[in-house]
């Protein structure tokens, strides 16, 4: 799918078994709401959660927020029924857990098609060592796939790795998924920060994710939304600098000049493209607030 400049700074998991959480989500400033049918829902509540998620997604009550429903895996008793229901829900995307091959993407897309899913997007959770090693193949699985979502909690378990402040145990996996997503024009979202009392660590993880190039971060609590939005929004100074680069390049082109120098720095087309992306994201974020 073509990359559309749309804010995905914050993607908040909401347990679909909790009607109160789904109601509260209508007031939260998250760019993306992920109604979860998988990890956050006990087996005896799976069908009820599915019904509540479908009703919420089809209600049209969430304004500009992007609605994604995380299904159970296809090899579970609920996976096929989840995707069949999600197909007609009006959600923006179906999120597939523990994806380890491009075949899973294609199988899920076919299932959505059979149940009237039209062009509903597919998002893939990347949360196992095998997923990291197959990131390129998964990211190239087809036009229905539009995002990779890091599942660093499961990845830590599989690796036997620790959650450190610098996240060095995950850097290889994060990098592989970033490379694959960008190579195939996909959105890519960072994993969750589990320690809700560690505000400083959360801020550091957001900053690191933004610096690495992630579009946003997945979250587990509403209190994380505002600081996450701030971290993944272009800073005013960066927007002003981007506008100067665009203006200087346009002025040089109008004058027939092949070289643009701004504050002693050579400005090339790649700098202009980056600047245009920064301005477009800032405008999209501003429109979200209006």
């Amino acid at each position: 799918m073509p990359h559309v400049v749309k804010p995905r700074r914050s993607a908040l998991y909401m347990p679909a078994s909790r009607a109160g959480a789904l109601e509260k989500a209508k007031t939260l400033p998250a760019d993306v709401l992920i109604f979860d049918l998988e990890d956050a829902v006990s087996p005896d509540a799976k069908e009820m959660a599915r019904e509540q998620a479908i009703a919420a997604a089809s209600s049209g009550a969430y304004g500009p927020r992007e609605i994604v429903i995380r299904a159970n895996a296809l090899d579970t008793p609920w996976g096929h029924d989840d995707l069949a229901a999600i197909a007609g829900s009006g959600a923006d995307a179906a999120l597939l857990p523990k994806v380890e091959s491009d075949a899973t993407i294609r199988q899920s897309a076919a299932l959505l098609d059979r149940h009237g899913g039209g062009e509903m997007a597919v998002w893939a959770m990347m949360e196992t060592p095998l997923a990291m090693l197959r990131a390129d193949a998964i990211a190239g699985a087809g036009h229905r796939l539009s995002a990779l979502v890091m599942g660093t909690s499961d990845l830590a378990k599989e690796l036997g790795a620790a959650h450190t402040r610098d996240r060095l145990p995950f850097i290889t996996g994060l990098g592989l998924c970033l490379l694959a997503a960008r190579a195939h024009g996909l959105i890519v979202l960072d994993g969750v920060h589990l320690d809700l009392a560690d505000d400083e660590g959360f801020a550091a993880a957001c900053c690191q994710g933004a610096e690495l190039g992630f579009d946003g971060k997945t979250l587990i609590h509403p209190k994380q939304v505002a600081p996450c939005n701030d971290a993944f929004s272009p800073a005013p100074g960066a927007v002003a600098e981007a506008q100067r680069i665009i203006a200087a390049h346009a002025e040089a082109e109008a004058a027939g000049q092949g070289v643009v120098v701004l504050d002693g720095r050579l400005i090339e087309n790649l700098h202009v493209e980056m600047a245009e992306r920064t301005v477009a994201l800032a405008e999209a974020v501003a429109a979200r607030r209006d």
Side-chain angles (χ1 to χ4, degrees):
M1 290 185 176
H3 184 95
V4 177
V5 177
K6 184 175 184 179
R8 275 109 172 187
R9 301 163 297 170
S10 52
L12 179 64
Y13 289 107
M14 306 296 292
S17 56
R18 293 174 50 195
L22 297 179
E23 183 65 26
K24 182 176 182 178
K26 298 174 183 178
T27 67
L28 299 174
D31 291 332
V32 181
L33 297 171
I34 302 175
F35 298 159
D36 192 13
L37 307 181
E38 195 217 10
D39 282 348
V41 179
S42 62
D44 61 348
K46 294 286 190 184
E47 294 187 7
M48 178 265 287
R50 182 194 301 141
E51 292 174 1
Q52 293 190 162
I54 300 309
S58 62
S59 70
Y62 292 87
R65 300 165 188 84
E66 197 164 3
I67 302 300
V68 178
I69 303 178
R70 179 162 71 169
N72 289 280
L74 290 179
D75 61 358
T76 69
W78 312 281
H80 283 259
D81 288 341
D82 284 349
L83 284 182
I86 292 169
S89 70
D92 295 287
L95 177 57
L96 311 177
K98 297 178 179 62
V99 173
E100 292 188 322
S101 74
D102 52 322
T104 299
I105 305 298
R106 292 194 295 271
Q107 181 183 5
S108 299
L111 204 160
L112 289 170
D113 282 341
R114 284 201 300 274
H115 293 277
E119 285 298 301
M120 178 179 286
V122 171
W123 290 18
M125 292 290 306
M126 307 292 283
E127 47 192 335
T128 68
L130 194 55
M132 304 301 105
L133 295 174
R134 293 177 173 173
D136 179 53
I138 292 170
H143 73 284
R144 293 286 288 273
L145 182 67
S146 64
L148 300 183
V149 181
M150 299 305 304
T152 46
S153 297
D154 278 276
L155 184 59
K157 176 180 72 71
E158 295 290 330
L159 293 174
H163 288 277
T164 62
R165 179 63 63 91
D166 58 17
R167 300 203 298 169
L168 282 179
F170 308 119
I171 287 297
T172 298
L174 296 175
L176 287 170
C177 290
L178 274 161
L179 288 168
R182 296 309 183 214
H184 294 279
L186 306 182
I187 297 299
V188 58
L189 301 181
D190 200 357
V192 301
H193 185 81
L194 296 173
D195 188 348
L196 294 176
D198 181 19
D199 293 340
E200 183 179 339
F202 176 69
C206 287
C207 180
Q208 182 193 49
E211 290 175 346
L212 287 172
F214 283 99
D215 295 289
K217 188 171 182 66
T218 48
L219 311 173
I220 59 171
H221 194 278
K223 72 175 245 179
Q224 297 176 322
V225 173
C228 185
N229 282 347
D230 289 342
F232 284 93
S233 296
V239 176
E241 180 66 9
Q243 292 169 332
R244 291 183 67 223
I245 289 171
I246 294 168
H249 184 264
E251 183 178 344
E253 278 196 330
Q257 298 174 1
V259 177
V260 185
V261 178
L262 181 64
D263 298 335
R265 294 174 297 146
L266 181 66
I267 302 300
E268 299 181 286
N269 286 336
L270 66 92
H271 301 112
V272 178
E273 290 177 12
M274 293 170 65
E276 289 173 341
R277 188 163 60 242
T278 296
V279 171
L281 179 57
E283 290 174 348
V285 168
R288 179 63 57 89
R289 289 194 295 261
D290 294 341

